[in-house]
Amino acid sequence: METSKKRYPTAFWVCSASEIFERLAYYLGRSLILIFITTAVLEGGLGLSDKVGANMQANMTAFSYLGAVFGGFVVDRFIGAKYTTPVGMVITGIGYYIGSIATGAQHIYLMILTVSIGLGLFKNGPIIGRVITDKSQMDSAFSIRYTLVNVGALIGTFAVGILYKDVFAKNGVLGFAPCFKLAALSMILGAIWYVFVCWKHLGTIGSKPFKLEKTAEELEMEKKEHLEDQIKRPLTTIEKKRIGAIILASAFSIIFWIFWYLAYLPVYYYWAENMNWVVAGYTVPATWFDAANSLFCIILGPVMAMLWNHLAARPQGDMSLFRKTGLGIGIIGLGYLFYAAIDIMRGDAKASVLLLIVFALLLTLGEMFFSPLGHSFISKYSPSKYLGLMMSMWGIATFFAAKLYGYAYGFLFGGTFKFTNACFIVAGIAFASAIILFTLDKRLSALVED
């Protein structure tokens, strides 16, 4: 198809690059929070329990996505996302600075609140959904965007492991505070990039609330129906069905993200005691597991983009989002089977930490079949006047997943079940979910067809 060979606009590249700043800061802070909270006070931490640390990290993840609902309402109704995005970056930077001066749990909660408000206003995803106007390019474009997002995530997760324990550590005190300050600086630099570079190429895109920025499909509908006020018109039947499809896809994403986030906690807790973390005489930081995930996202992003372009060019068209989601959840299930296999094979010895590379690859492959495509799906089918809110549905699903995965960890891996049995339970649920999505694919896909 000719459309699959079109180049992405410059605005797509510069706006996607802005997320390098945001994700660098986010993953630097998110990866650090578990260690900072549980490290002894004399070593520069807060000296709290691992359960408190897990819940605080879960809250940071959850409320960062819940803030998207507030931001979605703002950009749909009142202020263009082009303006809220750099403002949100500055507010987020202030939140990370609060983390750098934290002396107790109350400061961490204030940091989480401030970061959540800032990220709620960061609406770069919906803007990219309007920069790319060809639906056949959406999946590949958002996969490329995911690669750029994970450039920042890779830098943040890789650097933090070295910075806090090697570069900024002094006299036995670990360098948590300077790392949080770096996160704050990254957000301020990102805001400057957005105003002086992204604005130049965006033109009028994102200048108005999304209810005032109609797609070509909506303009054609308005023309056919001779409507004078597109904003106040009721939703059509197909638009209602599409909103329902977005909500259903978001609901299934709760299962995916619970299992995805859950996969990280055994790395920090179970495998911390049952793996040999020394490679060639160097103790590998646990945060490098996050870095491996980001690296694989960077590698797989262009590969998946080519795959989606190839599938879109087929006579029968692309694979549906629901099938892709099913594959993603199924691959996550395979990852948990690999976790169990490691535990069985190691016996009473410690397994090599290098085995986590294979698990990280499976985790990332499942992610690439799912995560980048959610915003693409919503950009294709959401009515413009609800674009920000529909994007936040993805965030609400992640909020619930982030709030639940800590409890899931406590139930499955907290002592009720053997580690291997807990992995088998997660894998079984993942495979069952994948089967359901494949079985219902035609009915679910029919919701978005006009």
Side-chain angles (χ1 to χ4, degrees):
M1 289 178 65
E2 189 68 24
T3 54
S4 65
K5 298 179 182 179
K6 289 182 181 178
R7 293 183 176 181
Y8 305 121
T10 302
F12 163 77
W13 292 106
V14 295
C15 288
S16 295
S18 70
E19 301 204 41
I20 295 175
F21 299 96
E22 186 273 324
R23 289 289 95 175
L24 188 158
Y26 178 78
Y27 276 96
L28 195 153
R30 181 181 176 274
S31 299
L32 199 64
I33 197 169
L34 275 178
I35 305 167
F36 173 55
I37 288 170
T38 57
T39 297
V41 175
L42 290 176
E43 296 177 352
L46 298 183
L48 303 176
S49 71
D50 58 356
K51 289 185 178 180
V52 173
N55 284 331
M56 281 190 173
Q57 189 199 55
N59 282 329
M60 182 172 175
T61 304
F63 287 102
S64 295
Y65 286 99
L66 185 63
V69 180
F70 157 73
F73 182 75
V74 170
V75 298
D76 280 346
R77 299 293 169 186
F78 303 110
I79 306 172
K82 175 180 176 180
Y83 304 113
T84 68
T85 297
V87 171
M89 296 180 87
V90 172
I91 294 172
T92 305
I94 294 171
Y96 291 129
Y97 181 79
I98 293 171
S100 74
I101 59 174
T103 57
Q106 69 276 10
H107 289 107
I108 299 299
Y109 286 122
L110 181 59
M111 180 189 80
I112 291 171
L113 175 63
T114 309
V115 167
S116 299
I117 293 172
L119 292 182
L121 294 171
F122 182 78
K123 290 298 179 185
N124 197 44
I127 287 180
I128 291 175
R130 288 298 175 258
V131 169
I132 303 295
T133 56
D134 188 340
K135 287 185 178 181
S136 69
Q137 283 188 310
M138 285 282 188
D139 284 0
S140 61
F142 275 92
S143 292
I144 294 294
R145 174 212 178 199
Y146 212 66
T147 287
L148 294 174
V149 164
N150 279 280
V151 169
L154 174 62
I155 296 171
T157 53
F158 184 81
V160 69
I162 300 173
L163 293 175
Y164 87 88
K165 75 182 188 70
D166 295 327
V167 177
F168 294 137
K170 290 183 180 179
N171 302 320
V173 177
L174 298 172
F176 297 116
C179 287
F180 281 117
K181 287 178 181 177
L182 274 179
L185 177 62
S186 180
M187 294 306 297
I188 300 303
L189 292 176
I192 294 171
W193 167 272
Y194 212 89
V195 171
F196 289 98
V197 180
C198 296
W199 280 10
K200 176 182 177 181
H201 295 284
L202 279 174
T204 59
I205 297 174
S207 299
K208 301 176 182 178
F210 285 119
K211 69 177 183 179
L212 300 177
E213 293 193 354
K214 307 166 189 175
T215 65
E217 183 180 9
E218 289 169 329
L219 288 172
E220 183 65 22
M221 185 186 303
E222 182 179 357
K223 181 180 177 180
K224 286 182 179 179
E225 298 180 9
H226 305 288
L227 295 174
E228 296 180 359
D229 193 342
Q230 176 76 2
I231 299 171
K232 294 183 178 179
R233 72 167 176 82
L235 292 173
T236 63
T237 300
I238 185 62
E239 285 176 327
K240 291 177 181 178
K241 287 183 177 180
R242 287 174 174 177
I243 288 176
I246 290 170
I247 293 172
L248 281 172
S250 300
F252 272 102
S253 77
I254 296 175
I255 300 172
F256 177 91
W257 286 119
I258 286 176
F259 293 164
W260 192 90
Y261 285 120
L262 182 64
Y264 278 76
L265 294 182
V267 174
Y268 285 89
Y269 298 136
Y270 186 79
W271 293 124
E273 301 295 330
N274 295 292
M275 276 189 167
N276 180 8
W277 288 78
V278 179
V279 178
Y282 180 74
T283 302
V284 178
T287 56
W288 283 11
F289 179 78
D290 299 71
N293 169 248
S294 300
L295 178 61
F296 286 133
C297 282
I298 293 169
I299 295 170
L300 290 174
V303 175
M304 302 305 288
M306 288 189 290
L307 175 61
W308 305 145
N309 276 332
H310 173 73
L311 293 178
R314 298 183 308 171
Q316 66 268 40
D318 199 358
M319 187 189 304
S320 75
L321 174 76
F322 300 103
R323 282 181 175 262
K324 291 173 182 176
T325 301
L327 285 171
I329 295 177
I331 294 170
I332 292 287
L334 288 176
Y336 278 92
L337 289 184
F338 183 74
Y339 256 173
I342 295 175
D343 203 44
I344 292 170
M345 290 187 297
R346 72 178 182 87
D348 295 327
K350 290 189 176 183
S352 171
V353 71
L354 295 177
L355 290 172
L356 287 181
I357 295 175
V358 178
F359 181 82
L361 177 60
L362 289 170
L363 190 71
T364 307
L365 186 60
E367 180 182 358
M368 294 304 296
F369 267 91
F370 176 73
S371 184
L373 308 183
H375 284 174
S376 170
F377 183 74
I378 295 168
S379 297
K380 289 178 187 177
Y381 299 116
S382 172
S384 287
K385 58 183 176 181
Y386 296 122
L387 177 60
L389 186 60
M390 288 297 100
M391 284 283 191
S392 73
M393 288 295 103
W394 211 246
I396 290 174
T398 310
F399 165 78
F400 283 116
K403 290 297 292 180
L404 291 172
Y405 80 85
Y407 297 105
Y409 175 80
F411 175 71
L412 291 168
F413 297 98
T416 305
F417 303 98
K418 287 180 59 179
F419 181 80
T420 51
N421 291 340
C423 291
F424 289 141
I425 291 171
V426 174
I429 297 172
F431 294 146
S433 300
I435 292 170
I436 291 171
L437 280 167
F438 269 80
T439 303
L440 298 179
D441 174 56
K442 289 185 178 180
R443 292 183 181 180
L444 295 173
S445 298
L447 294 173
V448 298
E449 296 173 0
D450 189 356

